[in-house]
Amino acid sequence: MGADMRKWIAVAAALLLAGCASPTSETSSVVVAPYNASTIPFKTLQEFLAHRPVIATGRVVAVNDRAYEVPVDPNAEGNTETDGPEIFGTVSFKVESVLKGDLVPGATMTIIYMSGKWNTLEKESRIAYTYEHMANLQKNDGTLKTPAEFNGATFAIFAQPNEGSIPVKENNLYRGRVAPIDAGGQVTFPRPAPFESSATAAVKLDDIKAAIGR
Amino acid sequence: MRQWRAKVMHLSKFLAVSVAVLVTVAGLGPAPAMAHEFNLIRMDDAFMDFASDESIDDHHLFWNHFVHFQNYDQYGARTDLTVSEKCRRCWNDHTDIVWYAWDLGVADPDTGVTTTGMERCRKSYPPPNQVCDRAEVLFNERFTRDISGEAGFAIACHEIGHAVGFWHSDEGCMWADFPYWIPPSNVLTDDMISHINGAY
Ligand SMILES: [Zn+2]
């Protein structure tokens, strides 16, 4: 075997290790679990929209499925002293149009959600939550699709300011859900259904605008 | 009957938990093949421990009623979700399912719609075990004393169903969408009970 060949094999082996070893050690500490919420849809699209103070359209520009960690309150219901911190992820959108709320086009709007939880204070293994309503944003392993993987897709965003319901002290964070808008202006909601509908919960963006008087 | 009562009493003394889920296995017929997704919880012993962490009397008494229910499968095997006594925060790391009521609002911050209840794993076994060590069931406080008995049982059945490993389906109380609580969709089906008795 020549020196060049040996060097090539060494490089290939290093690449293999880089490609396999680090993700394996990371995923080997993660258990993926569904975060199951059972919901009652509103009777009408109008009612659903009335409960969303911020409605906009935009494209994904940044994601981080582990943006923040917050220790749990051991005295709060459901927690123990040995419980590890909760983990919160973010999805940021560049706002294209604003249908409702104080945003302006061109602004960045960041949605925060509970993406997981460390099992113990030692943080050796963690849970990654998957959500039905985030079916368009998450992968099966609980991580988020990258902006490139969204391939320029446009979403309708139905949100509210975070207002401390997730205990992260950053301004301008929102909670909410998204629904992709197709080329024909059709907005299709993943589960859970936001309003009672016979088949899939889908509606024209124009109908949303009309329903909120835009 | 006497035997399972004795077991429940022994269990409550031993672990000092207020609420115990006792899953009895009849052994009168072959357990059906398990759906692969159906074993999300791993119990720390032969019994599934079920505890409340609800600190407010009114919420505790209301939801406790629905958490306590019994089902029989086609073989006569009994699946009890049995409440022994009221107890607050007397559960520990060996407890399998913890429930409490929480103000989930009229519109959930994430989904924007009304959440009746939810279920999530709070502590998992380390990989490669894709199983949960401690699951949590939450009921929306907004519905305390404000729903029918049928709906209360259905919500409890649905969330506990998630905790023991059922996904949404068109079976029994595991319908994903409203109105899964209209009888007979507000209870576990025979097949689901058999899955539980076969797995736990
Ligand atoms: Zn559900």
Side-chain angles (χ1 to χ4, degrees):
Chain A
M1 200 185 298
D4 275 352
M5 186 64 137
R6 271 199 296 273
K7 200 165 105 189
W8 191 90
I9 287 171
V11 168
L15 282 172
L16 253 170
L17 279 173
C20 304
S22 56
T24 304
S25 62
E26 170 57 18
T27 52
S28 69
S29 68
V30 185
V31 169
V32 180
Y35 192 114
N36 294 300
S38 307
T39 55
I40 309 175
F42 287 109
K43 290 272 179 231
T44 62
L45 171 67
Q46 283 78 0
E47 262 186 276
F48 167 68
L49 298 174
H51 284 87
R52 298 282 80 188
V54 178
I55 303 172
T57 67
R59 290 167 207 261
V60 178
V61 289
V63 298
N64 184 350
D65 68 302
R66 292 164 67 188
Y68 303 98
E69 280 181 25
V70 180
V72 301
D73 174 3
N75 296 312
E77 287 174 332
N79 295 335
T80 70
E81 293 80 24
T82 62
D83 268 327
E86 289 173 337
I87 306 164
F88 299 93
T90 53
V91 184
S92 297
F93 298 85
K94 184 173 185 188
V95 174
E96 293 185 346
S97 67
V98 181
L99 281 61
K100 189 177 175 185
D102 285 340
L103 288 166
V104 289
T108 300
M109 176 192 196
T110 299
I111 302 265
I112 187 167
Y113 68 102
M114 190 189 289
S115 59
K117 185 180 169 299
W118 288 103
N119 282 316
T120 61
L121 297 170
E122 290 73 35
K123 303 203 287 187
E124 282 153 350
S125 64
R126 61 184 167 90
I127 304 164
Y129 292 126
T130 54
Y131 294 84
E132 286 185 315
H133 75 269
M134 290 181 66
N136 298 105
L137 304 177
Q138 284 184 308
K139 302 181 194 179
N140 289 340
D141 65 0
T143 62
L144 293 161
K145 291 181 191 170
T146 63
E149 286 172 304
F150 286 109
N151 200 20
T154 308
F155 290 96
I157 308 155
F158 304 87
Q160 65 177 68
N162 176 40
E163 287 172 344
S165 51
I166 283 181
V168 170
K169 293 179 186 67
E170 295 269 337
N171 291 328
N172 302 318
L173 291 172
Y174 292 85
R175 304 279 301 271
R177 67 187 295 175
V178 306
I181 309 170
D182 71 15
Q186 179 97 334
V187 179
T188 304
F189 289 89
R191 283 175 182 277
F195 54 91
E196 286 183 22
S197 55
S198 50
T200 55
V203 64
K204 289 278 183 190
L205 187 61
D206 286 344
D207 295 335
I208 293 174
K209 289 178 181 167
I212 55 180
R214 296 287 294 214
Chain B
M1 289 296 151
R2 207 164 281 142
Q3 199 185 0
W4 71 258
R5 276 183 200 285
K7 279 180 184 169
V8 169
M9 287 181 69
H10 176 72
L11 180 71
S12 3
K13 276 184 201 156
F14 183 68
L15 291 173
V17 293
S18 63
V19 188
V21 174
L22 170 61
V23 179
T24 50
V25 182
L28 298 174
M34 262 182 279
H36 72 278
E37 69 273 21
F38 179 73
N39 51 359
L40 293 184
I41 268 254
R42 174 186 285 185
M43 295 178 293
D44 295 305
D45 50 47
F47 297 95
M48 186 171 288
D49 306 318
F50 201 143
S52 166
D53 201 24
E54 178 51 52
S55 56
I56 297 171
D57 275 347
D58 206 37
H59 296 309
H60 187 276
L61 290 169
F62 184 77
W63 293 102
N64 205 17
H65 175 61
F66 299 118
V67 169
H68 180 168
F69 66 89
Q70 305 165 348
N71 276 169
Y72 293 86
D73 72 6
Q74 69 267 43
Y75 308 116
R78 178 173 172 158
T79 300
D80 286 345
L81 304 171
T82 304
V83 179
S84 54
E85 64 179 0
K86 184 180 173 184
C87 178
R88 289 174 182 164
R89 298 194 65 82
C90 54
W91 53 280
N92 59 31
D93 263 352
H94 300 293
T95 306
D96 300 304
I97 302 176
V98 173
W99 72 265
Y100 54 95
W102 195 255
D103 185 3
L104 299 170
V106 172
D108 180 84
D110 295 326
T111 64
V113 290
T114 306
T115 302
T116 54
M118 59 188 231
E119 182 277 333
R120 59 189 183 183
C121 182
R122 291 295 276 176
K123 193 171 245 176
S124 67
Y125 276 90
N129 301 294
Q130 290 290 320
V131 287
C132 190
D133 186 11
R134 193 181 83 233
E136 183 171 84
V137 166
L138 276 76
F139 301 114
N140 193 345
E141 287 183 3
R142 303 274 175 134
F143 289 98
T144 300
R145 304 209 182 284
D146 199 26
I147 48 163
S148 70
E150 282 162 355
F153 281 115
I155 294 168
C157 178
H158 185 94
E159 304 308 339
I160 292 163
H162 277 312
V164 298
F166 291 116
W167 297 89
H168 289 149
S169 70
D170 54 4
E171 268 194 85
C173 60
M174 295 316 292
W175 281 80
D177 298 319
F178 176 84
Y180 59 78
W181 45 60
I182 291 178
S185 291
N186 66 338
V187 293
L188 299 169
T189 62
D190 284 352
D191 188 47
M192 294 162 81
I193 295 166
S194 299
H195 278 303
I196 294 174
N197 286 336
Y200 296 111

